[in-house]
Amino acid sequence: MQASGPSPALFFDTATAYQRTEALKAAVELDLFTHIAAGHTTAEKLAAACGANQRGIRILADYLTVVGFLRKEGGSYALTPDTATFLTRQSPANVGGSLGFLLNPTLHDCYTKLTDAVRKGGTAVSAEGTVSHDNPVWVAFAKAMAPLMQMPAELLAGLVGGDRNKALRVLDVAAGHGLFGIAVARYHPNAQVTALDWANVLAVAAENAKIAGVSDRHHLLPGSAFDVNWGGPYDLVLLTNFFHHFDTPTNESLARKAHAALAPGGRMLTLEFIPEPDRVTPPPSATFALTMLATTAAGDAYTFPEFERMFAAAGFARSEFHQLPPTTQQAVVSFKT
Amino acid sequence: MQASGPSPALFFDTATAYQRTEALKAAVELDLFTHIAAGHTTAEKLAAACGANQRGIRILADYLTVVGFLRKEGGSYALTPDTATFLTRQSPANVGGSLGFLLNPTLHDCYTKLTDAVRKGGTAVSAEGTVSHDNPVWVAFAKAMAPLMQMPAELLAGLVGGDRNKALRVLDVAAGHGLFGIAVARYHPNAQVTALDWANVLAVAAENAKIAGVSDRHHLLPGSAFDVNWGGPYDLVLLTNFFHHFDTPTNESLARKAHAALAPGGRMLTLEFIPEPDRVTPPPSATFALTMLATTAAGDAYTFPEFERMFAAAGFARSEFHQLPPTTQQAVVSFKT
């Protein structure tokens, strides 16, 4: 395209962006990256390994080369370092399975009704969207997203600090896969963690606690975070990727419940997609708001000043903002007293 | 993200790329860009103008700012020059309506079955995909894509050259919206153009010829390009965005039919997405092959050496390759003798 005149390039790129998602999904479903890692680097060999057609594989692999997942030299395909790390079964950091949640039909359908969601100001699929009681999407979430959450969980556990020889009572609200509480349990040998979520989701968290070898310090509190008695007192309440599903009054009442469940000197740890007050940077946190519009009645990607106000209204003495590089999420540490 | 270590950023960006498409579609459906152009630049005013919810508009407009369609200053949104040119009703170059074809459910459904298409080596939706007889998707195409084809049509007509005072007999094969033949008719005041396509599609071409004021030199030849007698002889046969739907033997037989219909000294003009022989550059032509895999039984984005061989096999003396900047397509001029 000419650098000078106006260009419809962004329009085309965006109108066809969904094709990128489908190409990635096809590659993961066909185990294409894994087979390249195993040495099947030509279209002919890949087709045999994937149980697919050679022309089909050639066109798909060329496409994946253009969008950046592969390199092509002569007739051979090679993985980029990122693809080798995150998209092959040989790698412990493989996140390919997270497509099972990210492209779950429940979420995908919400986006096909996005125009209606903009008209309405909230999800157009149902009254409550994905946060409806016992929505099975959260079991898919708990199962699929654990590998992607390993690194944020370890970084969040690093924010806990304190004396690892002392007891630490932890409540993991809307635990999902349970990885955040489990990471704290691994980091603090004297931590006792209570994971709160719907029973069908907690089964996934319990399995992950077993794999991590912390089952004896990982306890289950089944039910809705809004209805169940949180017990306590706790030294730490974790609220990870939960506030974004709700409106400000709901979040204030959740934070109040956290404040009440904390012992004096206790802290609430919030993990979130927190855009700058301009709401258009950084991109991963800023764009997340659209997913909340599409999938929930009143959720949002809240800014730190908004969280500060909510948590102050709930009684917290002060809140601290933390980036968690290299992840694209942010954290808030809020002090009860 | 850290520049040093491996990053799942491309994975996330691609897994969620479909959201960009849906956001653009919502903006066009809500006339958001047009309302900004008319001076409704805050979320509050835009919501009123679009008949939508203010929170919904704020989240959508922020998202469109992040992906590059808008700029945001304080609480106000502004159009980029590209958005003003290509996505507002005030602009004669508005291409927003092309989403009616680009996101047509018929095409979209083909992509949801992409994994099966890779396994099979061709579209998984039906035996023939979108090139089945009288497929209504081509009426949608003819109606929606005309604004996007205006510039390529004018550039292609520029390749015709020759003496504009002499008669020029033109056959426009699979004419669709008819814009290529119409552009030649406008460029050559003595051209007589015959547009060949299914009758329901030709109705759109005839309407466009009327708008362009060339109806008296624009004739209709209804039917399938494969079955109907092309008549002739012609000085020029146009084959625009047609070969990519078929396999090499089919294309050779089409080119032979073109060769037979041409007068001595006649030329065939081909407009196509023609990647370099590496098949991974330039991106717009290289990625187009995936759409042919998803939507047709055996179509492809052919390279120039492949077209040269097909056209030589069909009897053409020689073929010339042309870029058509600033469009992202390419052209081939083939000489009968």
Side-chain angles (χ1 to χ4, degrees):
Chain A
M1 312 295 281
Q2 283 178 337
S4 49
S7 160
L10 179 66
F11 168 77
F12 270 115
D13 195 57
T14 307
T16 58
Y18 76 93
Q19 299 173 0
R20 296 179 182 221
T21 304
E22 298 296 341
L24 175 61
K25 181 166 167 253
V28 169
E29 288 181 350
L30 293 161
D31 262 338
L32 182 124
F33 303 123
T34 298
H35 289 305
I36 293 176
H40 306 283
T41 60
T42 65
E44 186 182 358
K45 288 179 185 170
L46 266 176
C50 296
N53 174 279
Q54 183 176 336
R55 179 177 164 278
I57 288 288
R58 184 260 294 167
I59 292 175
L60 178 63
D62 283 344
Y63 185 94
L64 293 164
T65 303
V66 177
V67 300
F69 287 96
L70 298 176
R71 291 183 185 136
K72 187 180 183 185
E73 291 279 341
S76 279
Y77 302 97
L79 304 175
T80 66
D82 287 350
T83 302
T85 301
F86 294 106
L87 289 168
T88 63
R89 290 187 194 274
Q90 294 92 335
S91 167
N94 177 31
V95 298
S98 68
L99 292 181
F101 173 72
L102 293 171
L103 302 181
N104 188 292
T106 304
L107 298 191
H108 212 278
D109 289 353
C110 290
Y111 265 96
T112 66
K113 298 186 177 69
L114 184 60
T115 304
D116 288 339
V118 178
R119 288 199 179 103
K120 187 179 167 186
T123 185
V125 295
S126 64
E128 295 184 293
T130 54
V131 292
S132 59
H133 185 69
D134 260 357
N135 192 317
V137 78
W138 298 114
V139 178
F141 169 81
K143 288 182 179 167
M145 295 298 274
L148 267 172
M149 290 299 136
Q150 198 72 52
M151 184 190 282
E154 283 165 23
L155 292 165
L156 197 73
L159 288 181
V160 176
D163 186 345
R164 294 168 68 193
N165 295 316
K166 288 175 72 175
L168 186 75
R169 298 159 294 180
V170 183
L171 177 66
D172 187 3
V173 179
H177 40 67
L179 260 73
F180 292 101
I182 292 166
V184 173
R186 289 176 61 189
Y187 191 79
H188 276 262
N190 292 300
Q192 294 286 337
V193 177
T194 300
L196 163 59
D197 212 320
W198 289 315
N200 54 353
V201 180
L202 280 184
V204 183
E207 179 64 23
N208 286 333
K210 199 171 155 188
I211 292 167
V214 298
S215 281
D216 56 326
R217 295 183 287 121
H218 192 265
H219 317 286
L220 307 181
L221 179 54
S224 156
F226 296 99
D227 303 331
V228 87
N229 183 337
W230 289 10
Y234 300 98
D235 303 301
L236 198 62
V237 173
L238 305 179
L239 275 151
T240 55
N241 291 322
F242 196 49
F243 287 121
H244 55 235
H245 296 101
F246 312 106
D247 64 13
T248 296
T250 305
N251 285 337
E252 281 183 15
S253 72
L254 268 173
R256 240 188 312 273
K257 207 164 172 179
H259 191 267
L262 282 169
R267 288 167 298 164
M268 174 171 75
L269 250 68
T270 300
L271 181 82
E272 273 297 338
F273 295 91
I274 305 179
E276 293 295 310
D278 65 9
R279 290 192 182 279
V280 292
T281 55
S285 290
T287 55
F288 185 75
L290 193 71
T291 294
M292 292 302 98
L293 177 66
T295 65
T296 70
D300 210 334
Y302 294 100
T303 65
F304 177 60
E306 287 172 334
F307 276 125
E308 264 190 314
R309 280 194 292 275
M310 289 180 218
F311 299 163
F316 284 91
R318 65 185 178 91
S319 292
E320 284 176 1
F321 179 74
H322 295 265
Q323 296 284 356
L324 288 181
T327 83
T328 56
Q329 288 203 265
Q330 293 78 27
V332 177
V333 183
S334 305
F335 298 82
K336 171 155 181 160
T337 47
Chain B
M1 313 295 283
Q2 281 178 338
S4 50
S7 160
L10 180 65
F11 168 78
F12 271 115
D13 195 56
T14 307
T16 58
Y18 76 94
Q19 299 172 1
R20 296 180 183 221
T21 303
E22 298 297 341
L24 175 61
K25 182 168 168 249
V28 169
E29 288 180 351
L30 293 162
D31 263 338
L32 182 124
F33 302 124
T34 297
H35 289 305
I36 292 176
H40 306 283
T41 60
T42 64
E44 184 181 359
K45 288 180 183 168
L46 267 175
C50 295
N53 173 278
Q54 182 176 337
R55 178 176 164 278
I57 288 288
R58 184 260 294 169
I59 292 176
L60 178 63
D62 283 343
Y63 185 94
L64 294 163
T65 303
V66 177
V67 300
F69 288 96
L70 298 175
R71 290 184 186 136
K72 186 180 183 184
E73 292 279 340
S76 279
Y77 302 97
L79 303 175
T80 66
D82 287 349
T83 302
T85 302
F86 293 106
L87 290 168
T88 63
R89 291 186 193 274
Q90 295 92 335
S91 167
N94 177 30
V95 298
S98 68
L99 291 182
F101 173 72
L102 294 172
L103 302 183
N104 188 291
T106 304
L107 299 190
H108 213 277
D109 289 353
C110 290
Y111 265 96
T112 65
K113 297 184 177 70
L114 184 61
T115 303
D116 288 339
V118 178
R119 288 200 179 104
K120 187 179 168 186
T123 184
V125 295
S126 63
E128 295 182 294
T130 53
V131 293
S132 59
H133 186 69
D134 260 357
N135 191 317
V137 78
W138 298 114
V139 178
F141 169 82
K143 288 184 178 165
M145 295 298 275
L148 266 173
M149 291 299 136
Q150 198 73 49
M151 184 190 283
E154 282 164 24
L155 291 165
L156 197 73
L159 288 182
V160 175
D163 185 346
R164 296 168 67 192
N165 294 317
K166 289 174 71 174
L168 186 75
R169 299 158 295 181
V170 183
L171 177 66
D172 187 2
V173 179
H177 40 67
L179 260 73
F180 293 100
I182 291 165
V184 173
R186 290 177 60 189
Y187 191 79
H188 276 260
N190 292 299
Q192 294 286 337
V193 176
T194 302
L196 163 58
D197 212 320
W198 289 313
N200 54 353
V201 180
L202 280 183
V204 183
E207 179 64 24
N208 286 333
K210 198 171 156 188
I211 293 165
V214 298
S215 282
D216 55 327
R217 295 183 289 118
H218 193 264
H219 317 286
L220 308 181
L221 178 54
S224 156
F226 296 98
D227 304 332
V228 88
N229 183 336
W230 288 12
Y234 300 99
D235 303 301
L236 197 62
V237 173
L238 306 179
L239 275 150
T240 55
N241 292 323
F242 196 48
F243 287 121
H244 56 235
H245 297 102
F246 311 107
D247 63 14
T248 296
T250 305
N251 286 338
E252 281 184 17
S253 73
L254 269 173
R256 241 188 312 274
K257 207 164 173 178
H259 191 267
L262 282 169
R267 287 167 298 164
M268 173 172 76
L269 251 68
T270 300
L271 181 82
E272 274 298 337
F273 295 91
I274 305 180
E276 293 297 310
D278 66 9
R279 290 191 183 282
V280 291
T281 53
S285 289
T287 54
F288 185 73
L290 194 71
T291 294
M292 292 301 99
L293 177 66
T295 64
T296 71
D300 210 336
Y302 294 101
T303 65
F304 177 60
E306 287 172 335
F307 276 126
E308 263 190 316
R309 281 194 292 275
M310 290 180 218
F311 299 164
F316 282 91
R318 66 185 176 90
S319 291
E320 284 176 2
F321 179 76
H322 295 264
Q323 295 285 357
L324 288 179
T327 82
T328 56
Q329 289 203 265
Q330 293 79 26
V332 177
V333 183
S334 305
F335 298 84
K336 171 157 180 157
T337 48

